Every structure is written in C-alpha cells, then in structure tokens.
Amino acid sequence: CFFSYAGLGTAAPTSPTSALGRSSMRRSESPGEIDEGLYSRQLYVLGHEAMRRLAKTAVLVSGMKGLGVEIAKNIILAGVKSVTVHDPGNTQWSDLSSQFFLSESDVGRNRAMASQQHLAELNSYVPVTAYTMELSESFLAAFQVVVLSNSPLEEQLRISDICHGRSICFILADTKGLAGQLFCDFGENFVVDEPSEGMPGVVTCRDGQGHGHGFADGDFVDILGVEGMSQLNGCKPGHPCSGVNSDLCLQEPLRASLAKPKIKAMDDRGHSLHLAFRALHTFTAEMGRLPRPRVQADAERLLELARGLTTHQELLDERLVRTFAHVSAGELSPMAALLGGLAAQEVLKAASGKFLPLAQWLYFDALECLPEQGTTLLTEESCAPRDSRYDGQIAVFGADFQERLGRQKYLVGAGAIGCELLKNFAMIGLAAGEGGSVTVTDMDTIERSNLSRQLLFRLRDVGKLKSETAAAAVRRMNPMTRVTAQPHHVGPDTETLYGDDFFMALDGVTNALDSMQSRAYVDSLCIRYLKPLLDSGTEGTKGHVQVIVPHLTQPFGSPLDLTESAVPLCTLRHFPSTIEHTLQWARDEFDGLFKVPAENVNKFLEDPAFLEVQRTTQDLEWVRSSLQEKPRSWPDCVRWARQRWESLYRHTILNLLHAFPPGHETSPGVPFWAGPKRCPRPLEFDCNNPLCPDAQAAGARDRAAARETLRAMAVPPFQLEVGVRIPVTEEEMEEVSHHASLALTFQDDDSNGHVDFIMAASNLRAANYGIAPADWHKSKRVAGRIVPAIATTTAAVAGLACLELYKLVWGHQNLGSYCNSFLQLVPPHADISLPLCPHQYGQETWSCWHRIEVPGIGAHGEDLTLQELLDQLQGVHGLPVRTVLCGVTILYASFWAKQKREEQLTRR
C-alpha cells in the first residue's frame, strides 16, 4: 500500500506556494511554457525563470561555417524563441572539416540554406529560418541577440554599432586554425538578475564550510532564519559584505549593470593574439585572402602588419604571430566546438539575464597541438588544399597527419559528451581510413530528456539503443568513418567481450562516465594495456578534461581520490542541518518502506531459505511485518500512515529533546545545540491541512475519506523511550547501528509519486529542524543524484578533449605539451595545467606504468611451466617471487606446503 504518511498534515505552510505544496502546482505553474521532460537536466542549471526568458528571445547567428553551426546548434537545443541563420556564402570543401550539417553534395550550395533543415530538426519548439541577404538595421531590429562569426572587420564594426545603439546584445566569435577570440557587448543597461544560493542566516563559518558562496566585499545580502532577532529576517539588502568569510543567503537579486565595453586586460600571449587577429583583417583586405598555410612570405607580411599596431611599450610575441599566420586558413572541429560552446553560453546569458557575462574579450590558442618536431613535418606542399573534406584540417596539420588520423582505433561512449566526441571524430576523419575503427559502447536506450543536449538523437529515436543510433548518425555525417556499435557497458562482467585482443588493438580510449568507480575501472584497463585515456565530464556549467598518457602522466586517480563523500549517519538520523541531509534521510525512508522489504519478500517467496542467510534482524522484521501486517482496507492504510507520521515527526523529536533539552550543555558554558546542530521542534498534526501529492491518493473522495478516518482514530499518546541511547558521534553510531547506504534511481516517469513522497517527507523533516524546504525540482535532483547538464558545456569539453587527441595522435612525448583543463562557463574561466608526472618529485621510481615482460614460451615453442617462469624472474631480473596471482586466485605461494608447491610449479 503506497500512501504518503508524509503528506497527511503538518503546521500551516508559510505561503500558498510553499515548497511543501502539491505536485499538481509543479505541473501547472507555467502551462505550455516549459517542457520539463525535455529540459529536465538544463532546468537544474538555468532554473524556470531563465528558461522562460530564453523562450522569449529571438537570436540571429551569422556565419554558417563550423563555428556558426556549433553556436546555432547549442542555443537551439537550449530552447530560445527562434533562431535565424545567416550566410551569403556557398559551401566550400574546407567547410566540411568542421561543419557537421554539410556534406559533399552541398559544395557550391548556400551554407545557411543547406543547414537550416538539419538545425530545425534539433528542437521542435525552436523555429529556424535561413537568411542570405545583407544585414540591414531594420532587419537586425527584430532580434534580442546577434552573433557574428566569419565576418570581416568592417562588418563587425557596423553591426556592433547598430546593436549597441538599439540595446541589442552583440557577440563576436571567430576561430582561425588553432586560435580563437570571443567578444561581448550587452549594452550600457544590461542587468544580471540572479539569486545566489547559500546557507540562510549564517554569518560566520561552521565546521570549515566557508567555501563556494561566491560573495565578495561590497555585495548586498539579506538575512534570514535568525531566531531572537526576527526583525532582521526578510529585510531588504542594505548592508554590504566586508571581510566575507562565511556562507550567506542572497535572496534579493544581484544586479550588475555593464557600462560601455572596454577591452579586458590580457597577458602578453593574449595581447599578441589580439594584435594578430587585428593584423589579419588588414592582411585579408589587402590580399583578398587569408595567409596561405606554411608560406613564409605571408607569415612575414602578417608579422609586419602586427608590428605596425604596437606601441614602443608593447611587446609582441613574433613567433606566435608567425605560427598564427601559418594555421589561420585552417578550420578545425575541436576549436569550433570549444568556442561554439563558450559563445552559446554567452547567448544564454544575454537572453536570460542569468550569470555574469564575459567582460569583454577572450582569447584562446592551442598551438601546442602542432608537432613537437616543429616545421620539419609541415611544409607548404603538405598543407596545400586537395579538394578534400579535410582541407580545413590539412591546412593546419598536413596530409600525412590526416592519414594517421584515419588509421586510429578508439573506444567511446554515446552519452552527451560521447555524442559530441563522435561528431568531432567524424569531422576530423578519425578512423575514416584503412585499418581505422571507432567502437561506440553504450547499453542505454534514448530517453526524451537526452534530446536537449545529445545532438545525434531525435524524437523519433526515443526508445532505441544509444550506441546504434549514434553510430548511424556518425555515418551520415561522414560516410567514411568506420564505426561499430556495441550495446554493452565496459565492466568486469563484459571482459570476455572487451578482452585482451580488443584493448591491445586500440590506440586510445575516451571516457565520459557518471560514476567514479566506472572511471577507475576503465583507467585500470588503460594501465593494464598501456593505452592513453581522455577522461572528461561536466556538471552544469563546469567541465573537465584529463589526459592520461602511459609512462608520461599520472593515472586517473588513486582509490583515496575516488572515494565519494558520505554524510555521517548520526547527522542524517538526529542532527541534520541542510536540506540535502533531510532529502537523503527521506530517500532512505522511501527505500526502507517501499523498496527493500518488497525485494526481500519476493526473495523469500521464491526461496524460503533466503531468511536463513540474512544477518540483520531488520531484514527479518521487514519480511515478517510485510507478510503478517497487511492492510485490509483503505482506512487501514490511513491509520498506519498517521501513526508513522506521529512517530517520525513528533515522538522521535520528543525523545531526542528529552535526551538533549534545548539548554543542554556538553560542558559548563558550551551549549550542545550549537554550530551545525540545530535544536528541533516536534510538529503538530493537522488533518485540515492536507499536503498529500496527487500520485499518493486515489482522488478527492479518498482524501475526504482519509480525513474522516483521521478524525475518528485515537492516536496513542507519547511515551518516553527509557534507556535508549542516542549516538552523537559517528563512532557511537557504528556501535549501535549497521546501516547500508541505499541508492535510489529515478526514471523520467514523474507520475509515479516517488519524488512527491520524498519531497514531502524531507520538507516535514526540515520543518522539524528549521531548515528551508526544497521545491520538487531540487528534491528530485538531490535525491536522485542527478547531475545538471547543458549542451554548451558538453560541446566545449568535447572540443578540449579532441585538442588533446591531436597530441596523442602525433605521439607527443613532452609532458609540457599536454593540458588538463577545468572549465567554468560562468564566468568564462579555464584552469589549464600540466598533467602530473607519475614519479613523485620527478624521481625515477617504479610506477603503475612499469611492468616486466617475460616470454610465455620456451626455446622450442612450448608453454613455460610456473617453475620456469619463476626461474626467469629470478635469473634475469633478480626478483624472488613469493606469490603468484591470476586476478584474485592464488596460483602459487611460498608459504604453501612443500608438496602443494611442487605440484603447482610443474603446471604450464
């Protein structure tokens, strides 16, 4: 019987729209505006109000080469009002190296017209139109955001002036080979309207939790939840922060008005890139073309123009400018993905007013992707165009490198990052040659929520296997790509499929897994088979890429690094201080009532001997009560739920307060209820205030009948539990309880009432402890451990990963060539660092990459005996062996009896 004791009643909510309210409010609060099934993961990043603003924003994206189509794709998936794609030019061969919605048959056709239909299929809520004429002021007036890519300087200045004068948000994005730039002007009156979350009412740090609040001196705050000085609560922000060292709650929006744009101060490298891009405009106007790849005369002319833009105080990195000239004619999919993700996030900021935008120039280069041998491998001839779909990439890396890419063998998944990686693989020609292969492995099927960030899937694909659908989409993007789909995950139980032969044949692995344990397992395989690994992941607007290279870098992580933090059990049971604590408690309550007992009963009914192997009295009690205390009517369910409610939200709290009264002191002058320990209060049941979610009652008649049953029943009075010890530390908790962490997985079926139950139970628990409640969406995200996700971050992270892939294919051996990246799109910021060496402090010691290879056969081709193997290790390497294992099976041990050792040593 599934009846919500949690929703029967409590103290009156603070407002009609309290987060304790009915789930029907969640579904009808904005009818027809937001498709929560489609945008579920993105809603956790942007929120409902920002999504509503997106849905009112018309966007123009000019330039439909690789960068422009990336920006358009990301904002269409995000759900803006409409997108107009503009390009007066026709498709060229070089466009196919980064523009994934163009094919060889489109060469000579207008880029915007050829892309429009493919873009429109991404999101049925976003109409997409193509425009090929000149951008006039009257035409631009219809848009709230304008994005330019692949446009000359005169056009950029003209459009920028029009947009600034009309308060239209203007974004400029450009990539040239391995360098890119981004500029934003959101006008003089643009306002960021964004509440920041923190811990309400906290002014000084507790237990070292002074991290991540995001406040700085001068920010204004609102004080909430203060007891004893209630006049402070809810006041308008009027006092700025100073010496901020705590978590605070900013209830009023943080409003930041951006004045007329100024060039952000940049380092010497960024300054040289800025001058190189400016000089490039002059060069293009003068020559009518971009500098030709590896033509020294063109590079020197660009350098001369850049020198003319400097003053006597400014330094110019001449080597950087020459290298920029050599690669500026190139079009690279990873660069388009990275800058496209960053630029699209700025579009979403402009449309929603959420998050601080870029102020105001960003420059990025990845020139370390070029061969370590320098120009010896790249010549004017090797980088010349060949009327190939890879001409844009050949211009940067040469034709020989393109053939090397075609021979690669890689393993990849088909999740959000996996789809972006596969799209990039198709564009760069990975595994598109003789001997190449990409294996797509994913056991999941496509859900509707995947469509807002996984560009390879469409509505018609829902229910199909991700691996097979993704592989088919890649073949459409590049028919030469040799891709194979496997509907299996990589794990210990599939080692017969992904065994020695499979991994030994690979050139590398790309990883984007949800759990640390899965990542650690794949990492262990890469260590075993000496294969490079590109690990990447996202969480909302944050992302990372870590590159692991055999013998050169540290592996993914140690077991200590991979341990996921857990909340102490005593905190969950007795001393919660955050809504996350009450949500985990409610999730365990759900499992304890509706999941684990049912599973144990089913096991018992299938095999009565099941009870004999159970080690906990709780499991036995669950089976007994489930079989013997069955409800016989609906009123039985109501009475049971009422008693459960009284036990959890009143009696348990009264027992706790008896053991530790409000004025209790741990020692003279040191209050027990202080710091993270919140003094609770028991709740009073009120059947006239029903908060029962729709999914947990059969209808209005049942709710009315439930109230009658509640009014008629007599609840047993509170009885103090004598002699019960309440643990206050984790050590004491371990002495009195054996608790197994229960994991609850939510499907996209929001009608089953699971989240409604957990939200109600959690918020009632929060009311016990004076914790602010959580709404339905936050409850689902925390209880279901759902990772917020958005297409912009996914695209940018996949771009960074493929830049590292270039280096792996080159075979870079210099640790300084590789980059681990930690990306934040809000505000745009990247921490790019060198991978760590596998040897501590640079000392040459044994590491996980070292191994001793011993021939498995003797001089005449026969298999070695175990004794012969031990003799080789002792004689050749001087290593006496005490134990030999195969997996966890001991094949030989020096402590065995002599006869057993001798028998084992003769085995081959």
Side-chain angles (χ1 to χ4, degrees):
C1 140
F2 186 10
F3 185 88
S4 174
Y5 67 82
L8 288 175
T10 183
T14 57
S15 71
T17 57
S18 167
L20 298 174
R22 301 167 64 86
S23 62
S24 59
M25 294 173 60
R26 163 180 57 81
R27 298 187 182 99
S28 62
E29 60 186 354
S30 54
E33 288 190 15
I34 301 174
D35 186 336
E36 297 184 2
L38 177 65
Y39 299 117
S40 59
R41 302 300 185 268
Q42 182 173 295
L43 277 166
Y44 294 127
V45 182
L46 298 179
H48 282 76
E49 184 56 35
M51 285 292 297
R52 293 188 188 98
R53 293 174 182 172
L54 287 186
K56 299 176 181 178
T57 303
V59 183
L60 170 70
V61 181
S62 177
M64 277 296 103
K65 291 197 170 194
L67 177 57
V69 78
E70 282 280 358
I71 298 169
K73 174 259 293 181
N74 291 332
I75 61 177
I76 290 169
L77 291 174
V80 297
K81 177 183 177 181
S82 65
V83 172
T84 297
V85 293
H86 167 258
D87 199 315
N90 294 331
T91 303
Q92 302 173 12
W93 280 107
S94 59
D95 296 332
L96 304 185
S97 61
S98 60
Q99 221 284 25
F100 46 86
F101 282 150
L102 296 177
S103 63
E104 295 182 5
S105 62
D106 292 318
V107 173
R109 188 182 175 199
N110 178 268
R111 282 186 286 258
M113 298 297 293
S115 305
Q116 182 270 335
Q117 182 60 39
H118 297 288
L119 289 167
E121 291 178 352
L122 291 172
N123 191 338
S124 61
Y125 292 110
V126 182
V128 180
T129 56
Y131 187 72
T132 62
M133 307 299 289
E134 181 183 351
L135 298 176
S136 64
E137 183 169 355
S138 60
F139 181 77
L140 293 172
F143 302 97
Q144 287 77 54
V145 183
V146 170
V147 185
L148 290 190
S149 69
N150 189 40
S151 57
L153 178 61
E154 294 75 14
E155 180 78 347
Q156 296 172 7
L157 295 174
R158 183 180 71 87
I159 301 300
S160 175
D161 287 342
I162 293 173
C163 291
H164 193 80
R166 287 181 169 268
S167 296
I168 300 170
C169 295
F170 173 77
I171 297 169
L172 167 68
D174 197 9
T175 61
K176 291 291 183 286
L178 285 163
Q181 64 175 348
L182 182 62
F183 171 78
C184 295
D185 173 12
F186 291 176
E188 299 182 12
N189 301 311
F190 183 77
V191 172
V192 178
D193 192 352
E194 176 193 354
S196 299
E197 292 186 359
M199 296 180 63
V202 179
V203 176
T204 55
C205 293
R206 301 183 306 194
D207 292 353
Q209 294 177 347
H211 305 290
H213 49 66
F215 294 109
D217 289 1
D219 288 345
F220 289 83
V221 299
D222 187 13
I223 304 298
L224 296 176
V226 176
E227 297 180 4
M229 296 181 66
S230 58
Q231 65 271 22
L232 292 177
N233 297 326
C235 294
K236 295 294 182 182
H239 300 282
C241 301
S242 62
V244 172
N245 64 344
S246 63
D247 290 350
L248 297 171
C249 183
L250 189 63
Q251 293 296 315
E252 286 296 309
L254 168 65
R255 299 182 181 274
S257 179
L258 301 182
K260 196 167 184 178
K262 296 187 294 185
I263 294 176
K264 183 181 178 182
M266 59 188 75
D267 58 20
D268 291 341
R269 190 179 183 97
H271 175 71
S272 294
L273 277 174
H274 173 70
L275 295 177
F277 270 98
R278 288 179 60 191
L280 187 64
H281 288 297
T282 305
F283 183 98
T284 305
E286 179 182 283
M287 299 290 190
R289 57 172 173 79
L290 292 168
R292 291 166 294 181
R294 299 292 158 182
V295 174
Q296 195 62 32
D298 285 358
E300 294 302 323
R301 178 54 184 160
L302 186 72
L303 178 58
E304 182 181 355
L305 293 171
R307 289 192 188 115
L309 297 172
T310 63
T311 65
H312 63 280
Q313 294 96 352
E314 294 176 326
L315 296 176
L316 182 67
D317 187 335
E318 296 188 353
R319 182 174 178 274
L320 183 146
V321 175
R322 287 192 182 94
T323 305
F324 174 81
H326 289 318
V327 302
S328 60
E331 295 279 345
L332 299 178
S333 177
M335 287 296 299
L338 172 59
L339 268 294
L342 296 175
Q345 187 66 49
E346 296 304 308
V347 174
L348 302 187
K349 295 176 188 178
S352 67
K354 187 175 180 69
F355 305 134
L356 286 171
L358 173 68
Q360 286 187 288
W361 283 100
L362 179 145
Y363 286 91
F364 177 87
D365 77 87
L367 298 176
E368 72 279 357
C369 292
L370 293 169
E372 290 178 331
Q373 298 90 334
T375 58
T376 57
L377 295 180
L378 300 176
T379 64
E380 181 180 348
E381 181 181 359
S382 67
C383 296
R386 287 159 167 73
D387 286 341
S388 158
R389 66 174 297 128
Y390 309 114
D391 276 357
Q393 187 166 256
I394 290 173
V396 179
F397 296 121
D400 291 342
F401 182 76
Q402 190 61 53
E403 292 182 6
R404 190 181 303 187
L405 280 169
R407 296 192 296 267
Q408 296 296 300
K409 298 181 179 67
Y410 264 78
L411 173 68
V412 65
I417 296 177
C419 284
E420 290 287 338
L421 288 170
L422 283 166
K423 174 259 296 177
N424 293 345
F425 290 174
M427 294 297 96
I428 69 177
L430 190 82
E434 189 67 31
S437 67
V438 171
T439 301
V440 186
T441 173
D442 205 304
M443 64 184 295
D444 292 336
T445 56
I446 299 166
E447 299 176 358
R448 196 159 177 272
S449 63
N450 299 146
L451 305 182
S452 65
R453 64 194 186 280
Q454 299 182 16
L455 84 156
L456 300 184
F457 307 143
R458 302 292 180 267
L459 186 60
R460 60 181 176 271
D461 299 322
V462 171
K464 298 179 182 178
L465 283 169
K466 285 185 175 181
S467 57
E468 294 179 356
T469 307
V474 168
R475 294 188 195 102
R476 288 192 294 271
M477 287 183 172
N478 185 349
M480 299 301 294
T481 303
R482 300 169 185 265
V483 57
T484 302
Q486 289 284 2
H488 310 284
H489 72 289
V490 178
D493 55 331
T494 58
E495 288 190 354
T496 54
L497 178 64
Y498 304 110
D500 293 346
D501 293 341
F502 177 83
F503 269 92
M504 289 297 291
L506 291 177
D507 292 296
V509 177
T510 52
N511 223 13
L513 296 166
D514 293 334
S515 73
M516 300 298 260
Q517 289 76 14
S518 298
R519 285 176 167 173
Y521 175 76
V522 174
D523 179 61
S524 69
L525 294 178
C526 292
I527 292 173
R528 182 192 307 176
Y529 297 105
L530 293 177
K531 301 300 178 182
L533 170 66
L534 290 169
D535 181 82
S536 54
T538 68
E539 181 178 358
T541 57
K542 300 178 181 178
H544 82 272
V545 174
Q546 182 178 354
V547 56
I548 295 101
V549 186
H551 299 295
L552 197 63
T553 73
Q554 281 190 354
F556 174 68
S558 65
L560 290 177
D561 299 330
L562 302 176
T563 302
E564 297 181 1
S565 60
V567 179
L569 185 56
C570 63
T571 298
L572 295 179
R573 289 280 180 87
H574 305 298
F575 310 113
S577 60
T578 69
I579 196 65
E580 287 76 13
H581 296 160
T582 66
L583 281 166
Q584 184 166 336
W585 173 88
R587 188 182 66 186
D588 287 352
E589 179 73 6
F590 179 94
D591 277 356
L593 288 174
F594 305 116
K595 181 176 182 287
V596 177
E599 291 176 347
N600 287 342
V601 168
N602 289 336
K603 291 176 182 177
F604 170 72
L605 294 176
E606 293 173 1
D607 181 12
F610 164 76
L611 291 181
E612 299 176 4
V613 299
Q614 295 307 295
R615 298 181 179 180
T616 66
T617 57
Q618 186 180 47
D619 288 335
L620 300 176
E621 175 58 24
W622 274 339
V623 173
R624 185 201 65 79
S625 63
S626 297
L627 293 175
Q628 297 182 5
E629 298 179 4
K630 296 182 293 185
R632 291 173 173 79
S633 65
W634 175 252
D636 281 353
C637 295
V638 175
R639 284 186 284 268
W640 174 88
R642 174 66 179 89
Q643 292 174 355
R644 185 77 177 180
W645 191 101
E646 191 78 5
S647 172
L648 289 177
Y649 301 114
R650 183 166 175 78
H651 292 182
T652 300
I653 301 301
L654 289 172
N655 275 307
L656 180 61
L657 290 175
H658 176 79
F660 305 107
H664 182 71
E665 296 181 346
T666 56
S667 59
V670 180
F672 177 83
W673 297 107
K677 289 188 175 69
R678 292 171 173 259
C679 185
R681 65 180 180 88
L683 300 183
E684 296 290 340
F685 185 84
D686 180 6
C687 65
N688 292 318
N689 179 30
L691 299 174
C692 185
D694 289 349
Q696 296 167 10
R701 185 176 64 180
D702 286 334
R703 289 198 293 272
R707 293 192 189 98
E708 292 301 320
T709 302
L710 291 169
R711 292 189 182 99
M713 72 177 290
V715 179
F718 169 70
Q719 291 185 348
L720 181 68
E721 296 183 13
V722 180
V724 175
R725 178 188 174 192
I726 298 179
V728 298
T729 66
E730 196 64 5
E731 290 76 15
E732 294 177 1
M733 198 75 197
E734 291 177 359
E735 296 175 6
V736 299
S737 174
H738 298 282
H739 176 76
S741 177
L742 302 172
L744 180 64
T745 301
F746 294 127
Q747 303 298 323
D748 281 342
D749 179 10
D750 294 338
S751 64
N752 57 25
H754 296 182
V755 181
D756 303 287
F757 176 94
I758 289 172
M759 181 190 74
S762 169
N763 285 339
L764 287 168
R765 176 82 163 170
N768 278 134
Y769 286 87
I771 299 169
D775 62 16
W776 190 92
H777 289 279
K778 182 170 183 178
S779 299
K780 181 179 180 180
R781 178 176 64 83
V782 175
R785 296 177 182 172
I786 297 171
V787 179
I790 192 169
T792 52
T793 315
T794 304
V797 164
L800 286 170
C802 287
L803 291 175
E804 298 306 306
L805 177 66
Y806 282 144
K807 304 168 190 177
L808 293 174
V809 176
W810 276 121
H812 283 190
Q813 294 301 310
N814 181 1
L815 185 66
S817 296
Y818 293 97
C819 298
N820 285 342
S821 301
F822 299 89
L823 184 68
Q824 297 187 57
L825 271 60
V826 180
H829 176 74
D831 290 322
I832 298 177
S833 60
L834 297 181
L836 294 177
C837 168
H839 311 299
Q840 190 176 19
Y841 307 119
Q843 299 297 318
E844 180 67 27
T845 59
W846 185 272
S847 78
C848 63
W849 300 113
H850 288 84
R851 70 254 348 265
I852 293 174
E853 294 187 2
V854 177
I857 57 175
H860 304 290
E862 74 281 7
D863 291 339
L864 294 181
T865 63
L866 184 56
Q867 180 66 65
E868 291 169 338
L869 173 64
L870 298 184
D871 291 343
Q872 278 203 27
L873 292 172
Q874 174 70 57
V876 178
H877 303 285
L879 295 174
V881 178
R882 296 183 176 86
T883 308
V884 177
L885 298 95
C886 179
V888 295
T889 304
I890 299 178
L891 301 180
Y892 169 83
S894 59
F895 56 80
W896 282 351
K898 180 179 179 181
Q899 181 179 355
K900 184 177 181 180
R901 281 187 281 124
E902 290 177 348
E903 291 175 355
Q904 196 72 3
L905 289 172
T906 59
R907 297 184 60 182
R908 294 188 182 275

